[in-house]
Amino acid sequence: MGMRPPTGLPSLSRRSRVLLVTAVVLAALLLLGPRFTDAYTNWLWFGEVGYRSVYLGVLVTRLILFVVVALFVGLVVWAALLLAYRSRPVFVPVAGPNDPIARYRTTVMSKLRLFGIGIPVLLGVLSGLVAQSNWATVQLFLHGGEFGQQDPQFGLDIGFYTFDLPFYRMVLNWLFVAVVIAFFANLVTHYVFGGLRLAGREGTLTRAARVQLAVIAGIFVLLKAVAYWFDRYDLLSSTRKEPTFGGPSYTDIMAVLPAKLILLSIAVICALAFFTGIVLRDLRVPAMAAALLVLSSILVGAVWPMVVEQFSVRPNAAEKESPYIERNIQATREAYGITDDKVEYQNYQGESKKSPLEVSADAATIGNARLLDPNILSPTFTQLQQRKNFYGFPESLDIDRYSLNGDIQDYIVAARELHPAALSGNQKDWINQHTVYTHGNGFVAAPANRVNKPQSEAQSATGGSDSGYPLFMVSDLFTKVEDQQIKVDQPRIYYGELIAQTDPDYAIVGTAEGQEPREYDTDQAQFTYDGSGGVPIGNWFNRLAFAAKYAERNILFSSAISEDSKILFNRGPRERVQKVAPWLTTDGNAYPAVIGGRVKWIVDAYTTLDKYPYAQPTSLDGAVEDSIDKKTGRVIPRKEVSYIRNSVKATVDAYDGTVTLYETDTVDPVLKAWRGVFPDAVKPQSEISPELRAHFRYPEDLFKVQREMLTKYHVDNPREFFTNNAFWSVPNDPTIEGGTFKQPPYYVLLGDPKTNKPVFNLTSAMVGYNREFLSAYISVRADPDGYGKFTVLQLPVETQTQGPQQTQNAMTTAGAVSQEKTLLSNSNKIRYGNLLTLPVADGGILYVEPFYNERNTGSSTFPQLLRVLVSYRDAGGSVKVGYAATLAEALNQVMPGAGSLATPFGGDPSVKPKPGATPPVDQGTVTPPGTTPPPGTTPPAGTATQEAAAAELNRKIEAVRTAMRSGNFTDYGKALDELDAAMKAYQEAAGR
């Protein structure tokens, strides 16, 4: 007796269906609930900052793109399913009682609408979700203009490659997706309903199935022909692994480009062959066409270019590639903003017969030599200026400049922020953490070129003193307004970098009328936030939304929240700028500045493109990351770019969180396109106040990318470029032990040779390719006058001026340095500060490095400046090392008399030599104990007595070292007492 085939899939019980529906609903809530919550809270937040038009613009573009792609893909798949279903055979033979298709055919027939509509809808929705992320491509296509420059191959404007071509590629990709899905949907449907049967050797295909599949396959091949056409343009942003240069090579233009046209023609012919399946029953013609397409793509698209590369290009590479290297050089310079009109190259000797005393500009350079390292002194700022345990400073401080009393001066600056991670005990209670400890307090600055007073030899030997610390200038609630040197009207910091490091970072502020303030302000007073920042949270709907957002029930039930309360969130400066301008890439570092009496964070933002014809692409994280980023874990933008501009500067008010974007590049075509998308988002350059502009710095991340490009693209000659002989390298940071990380660039004040005034620059030393000798010195102006102008000092190839690593080795192995380092290392942690490279003496290179120590005697110790190291190569080629308590003393050891140019430690900055003046030789420099006075200087009065005291002091220091090495604590204590007496005698002899 034959068995009856099954009529369908097993049915579910009612209980199972209820459980399944419940599970689906819960899954939908879990997936969609947070999205709706985020959408609503974002809507409120963008309304708070005044950028709701940006949010709506992005949201509408995403929705339209989602709908268009979802409908297109869904309709194409639906049409493929419908055509296959309607052309199914009337009678479908069953291939035996165990035919596996019969069960599925019955199931599909019983739920025809579910499968016929559900599958296209599902595939359409998934496609739309993927496509909506390409909203920026669509907007750039709609609003992008011209660059005013044409590529040298096709003669098309650069705007076609950056704005139009990505859009055409996106459309083509979704056409491919729709056609491929439609092909398989049509194929499976024909198989289920008998239009395609696999029984027998050759199987059976109905005429309708043959026609439909042939047409879809033909359309796919036609799309491939169109893709070959656009591939020609993509060649100008070729990613072939050419080791020397980027962009298309000789092989790309002379072999791959013609191959694309040949393949295009073959694809058109193959498409016609597929279409013959409409009238011909023989499928061998489409099969042969498919084989031809595959074979031609291998032979013409891959083998032929490889043959040209190996047998034509490689034997004559320098000659063959020269025109394309030249194109690559020009395009890369344009793309990264390092063209000849922005970069001035100067020959520089690396040594000089002059003294800095003879060069007026050196008074500004040496007088402003930075001795405070912002990447080391955060613990010092914290210990000396923290005030409360819940305040703190970032791990890496910032550098800015201020003009006080008419003199420009660079300062180590920081905002004293709330540090939520430092809260302890009951301070971490939800009420305290989010409604009491809500803000930081104050702006702290310290002159970068001096400390309170120098440490003596004896103090360094014993490992401690009250000297070597910054001279703080503080503006906060604890300081009287009349005593503030940098005036701050509102010192409260509600938005900052430390706050943003805590998750969640929200604070709830505001109280009902008549209620007492609850926010901690000082030990004597509480405060109620009255700024414009924050989203109202008084109504129950908003409270419910934020309670869901942060999964915090206290937001719903806490009595600390009243109808006038607001919630402050997204409090990081970079985060706020990135959210209001998602089309920009923000710099990894924001810095505080006092503008108009308010503390404002300044954030640099970039417009970028990932494909610029002929330009060298680079990975931002690879070009930007250096030793400081490794140490601090600073956020680094991770994306591939081949074009970058710092076209926008943003400010974030530290009190009310107001975000303002300013245009700083009026000719950037990419910014023009985005201003067309969001007309009101960026303010014109004319609205930048002179005070704000005076605090703009040239951004570090952009400079790092540009110096990386300049390592190769300073070379003009294509043949020389091909040999790599003239390339440079970014030196490794010599002050970091246990790893090889790039040396960061440094902000310094350099004397302008034309005006002799100090100019704020961002600088970097460069060494030879795979060498350690100095090859160049790059600086870019960061002051409003001449902002963004590069000066590249190129040293002769045959010179052997020491680079940073060689200089560090020479300085740290010098006798006096090595001895003191050995002594201190027993009970102290040695910290090398930033090794600054300074051009002086009209051809010379001066290295300056602060030397810090940190005692290992307890948790309350922190870095203090101990000594200053300098190195200078004189006209005779001899490298001299100076090591002393002050920069003046160290300079006099290597360049007699030059110490008079240095700013006195702890002294009045007004006594610093004025730029342009010829300072007198310092006749009053105290010679370090145990050394010979520099030639050309006159010993001060009382030298004999002082020398005797110094000699006795040296003996006592050596006694301390001997006792320390012996481990005899009795002798060690006695030696310390004798050292203290010798120190007092030395100070009396010196008249201190």
Side-chain angles (χ1 to χ4, degrees), residues 237 331 335-336 609-613 615-618 640-644:
S237 300
Y336 292 95
L609 296 171
D610 56 357
K611 288 186 177 181
Y612 187 97
Q616 174 73 45
T618 187
E640 186 95 358
V641 302
S642 61
Y643 173 95
I644 186 169

Side-chain angles (χ1 to χ4, degrees), residues 40-52 495 535 546 567-571 575-577 579-580 657 659:
Y40 178 67
T41 54
N42 281 333
W43 171 263
L44 296 175
W45 185 85
F46 276 93
E48 170 213 336
V49 295
Y51 285 86
R52 192 167 281 171
Y495 297 85
V535 171
F546 283 100
I567 183 169
L568 313 181
F569 63 108
N570 296 336
R571 294 202 281 169
E575 179 186 13
R576 293 177 76 82
V577 173
K579 285 183 73 70
V580 303
V659 181

Side-chain angles (χ1 to χ4, degrees), residues 411-619:
Y411 292 84
I412 309 300
V413 298
R416 186 192 291 121
E417 300 183 48
L418 177 72
H419 191 193
L423 295 173
S424 61
N426 196 50
Q427 292 174 338
K428 300 180 73 172
D429 178 80
W430 184 87
I431 288 289
N432 289 331
Q433 187 170 1
H434 295 286
T435 68
V436 176
Y437 301 114
T438 58
H439 59 277
N441 177 12
F443 179 82
V444 180
N449 64 340
R450 59 189 186 274
V451 292
N452 54 355
K453 58 182 177 180
Q455 292 199 33
S456 68
E457 177 89 7
Q459 290 169 331
S460 67
T462 57
S465 71
D466 61 349
S467 58
Y469 294 125
L471 292 164
F472 292 106
M473 299 165 54
V474 182
S475 302
D476 57 15
L477 293 171
F478 308 107
T479 307
K480 295 180 180 179
V481 176
E482 57 269 21
D483 294 335
Q484 295 180 4
Q485 293 170 284
I486 299 177
K487 304 295 183 183
V488 176
D489 300 325
Q490 180 52 271
R492 298 176 179 89
I493 311 294
Y494 279 86
Y495 297 85
E497 294 179 303
L498 280 181
I499 298 172
Q501 295 174 8
T502 304
D503 186 26
D505 68 346
Y506 67 89
I508 298 175
V509 298
T511 58
E513 186 176 351
Q515 288 186 347
E516 293 293 326
R518 61 182 310 111
E519 299 177 55
Y520 175 85
D521 214 31
T522 67
D523 288 343
Q524 291 77 35
Q526 279 68 47
F527 182 70
T528 297
Y529 181 75
D530 59 0
S532 59
V535 171
I537 199 177
N539 65 75
W540 282 101
F541 189 80
N542 283 3
R543 291 177 74 166
L544 180 62
F546 283 100
K549 177 181 178 68
Y550 294 112
E552 179 55 68
R553 66 178 182 273
N554 286 317
I555 295 178
L556 280 177
F557 303 114
S558 175
S559 60
I561 303 176
S562 68
E563 59 183 10
D564 295 324
S565 294
K566 295 194 291 185
I567 183 169
L568 313 181
F569 63 108
N570 296 336
R571 294 202 281 169
R574 289 183 63 256
E575 179 186 13
R576 293 177 76 82
V577 173
Q578 191 68 73
K579 285 183 73 70
V580 303
W583 36 275
L584 293 172
T585 300
T586 55
D587 190 89
N589 183 34
Y591 61 98
V594 178
I595 311 294
R598 298 179 72 92
V599 179
K600 295 190 177 184
W601 296 94
I602 298 179
V603 182
D604 289 286
Y606 310 115
T607 54
T608 61
L609 296 171
D610 56 357
K611 288 186 177 181
Y612 187 97
Y614 279 99
Q616 174 73 45
T618 187
S619 172

Side-chain angles (χ1 to χ4, degrees), residues 211-538:
V211 170
Q212 292 171 23
L213 292 173
V215 169
I216 297 175
I219 293 174
F220 176 85
V221 178
L222 275 182
L223 290 175
K224 188 61 180 175
V226 176
Y228 283 133
W229 178 261
F230 287 117
D231 284 346
R232 298 160 56 248
Y233 302 121
D234 279 331
L235 283 176
L236 300 195
S237 300
S238 173
T239 55
R240 295 174 74 246
K241 299 300 181 182
E242 167 58 52
T244 305
F245 65 98
S249 62
Y250 177 92
T251 303
D252 290 319
I253 299 301
M254 304 307 293
V256 179
L257 183 57
K260 296 295 182 183
L261 292 175
I262 295 172
L263 290 172
L264 184 154
S265 303
I266 295 174
V268 172
I269 295 172
C270 292
L272 295 176
F274 274 99
F275 289 139
T276 60
I278 299 173
V279 295
L280 298 179
R281 294 175 59 87
D282 192 351
L283 294 180
R284 286 179 294 180
V285 174
M288 292 173 60
L292 174 62
L293 187 62
V294 173
L295 183 62
S296 61
S297 64
I298 295 174
L299 293 177
V300 179
V303 175
W304 168 243
M306 183 177 65
V307 171
V308 171
E309 178 76 16
Q310 294 298 324
F311 297 100
S312 179
V313 177
R314 292 298 179 190
N316 310 284
E319 178 183 353
K320 296 283 188 181
E321 302 289 16
S322 287
Y324 306 102
I325 293 176
E326 190 171 0
R327 293 178 180 182
N328 172 239
I329 293 173
Q330 183 60 33
T332 301
R333 290 177 176 178
E334 290 284 351
Y336 292 95
I338 50 175
T339 49
D340 291 341
D341 61 320
K342 297 179 181 178
V343 181
E344 180 184 358
Y345 295 91
Q346 298 177 5
N347 293 325
Y348 201 75
Q349 293 303 311
E351 58 184 34
S352 175
K353 295 182 180 180
K354 294 183 179 180
S355 165
L357 297 169
E358 302 174 52
V359 181
S360 298
D362 286 352
T365 300
I366 295 177
N368 289 286
R370 180 154 54 85
L371 301 178
L372 299 185
D373 187 342
N375 301 303
I376 286 181
L377 290 176
S378 179
T380 304
F381 269 58
T382 301
Q383 290 293 335
L384 299 179
Q385 290 296 324
Q386 185 182 26
R387 304 282 189 178
K388 295 292 180 181
N389 72 289
F390 43 82
Y391 293 145
F393 297 95
E395 188 172 356
S396 181
L397 306 177
D398 292 297
I399 298 177
D400 197 6
R401 68 283 195 202
Y402 289 83
S403 180
L404 303 179
N405 301 320
D407 283 339
I408 193 75
Q409 170 70 62
D410 53 347
Y411 292 84
I412 309 300
V413 298
R416 186 192 291 121
E417 300 183 48
L418 177 72
H419 191 193
L423 295 173
S424 61
N426 196 50
Q427 292 174 338
K428 300 180 73 172
D429 178 80
W430 184 87
I431 288 289
N432 289 331
Q433 187 170 1
H434 295 286
T435 68
V436 176
Y437 301 114
T438 58
H439 59 277
N441 177 12
F443 179 82
V444 180
N449 64 340
R450 59 189 186 274
V451 292
N452 54 355
K453 58 182 177 180
Q455 292 199 33
S456 68
E457 177 89 7
Q459 290 169 331
S460 67
T462 57
S465 71
D466 61 349
S467 58
Y469 294 125
L471 292 164
F472 292 106
M473 299 165 54
V474 182
S475 302
D476 57 15
L477 293 171
F478 308 107
T479 307
K480 295 180 180 179
V481 176
E482 57 269 21
D483 294 335
Q484 295 180 4
Q485 293 170 284
I486 299 177
K487 304 295 183 183
V488 176
D489 300 325
Q490 180 52 271
R492 298 176 179 89
I493 311 294
Y494 279 86
Y495 297 85
E497 294 179 303
L498 280 181
I499 298 172
Q501 295 174 8
T502 304
D503 186 26
D505 68 346
Y506 67 89
I508 298 175
V509 298
T511 58
E513 186 176 351
Q515 288 186 347
E516 293 293 326
R518 61 182 310 111
E519 299 177 55
Y520 175 85
D521 214 31
T522 67
D523 288 343
Q524 291 77 35
Q526 279 68 47
F527 182 70
T528 297
Y529 181 75
D530 59 0
S532 59
V535 171
I537 199 177

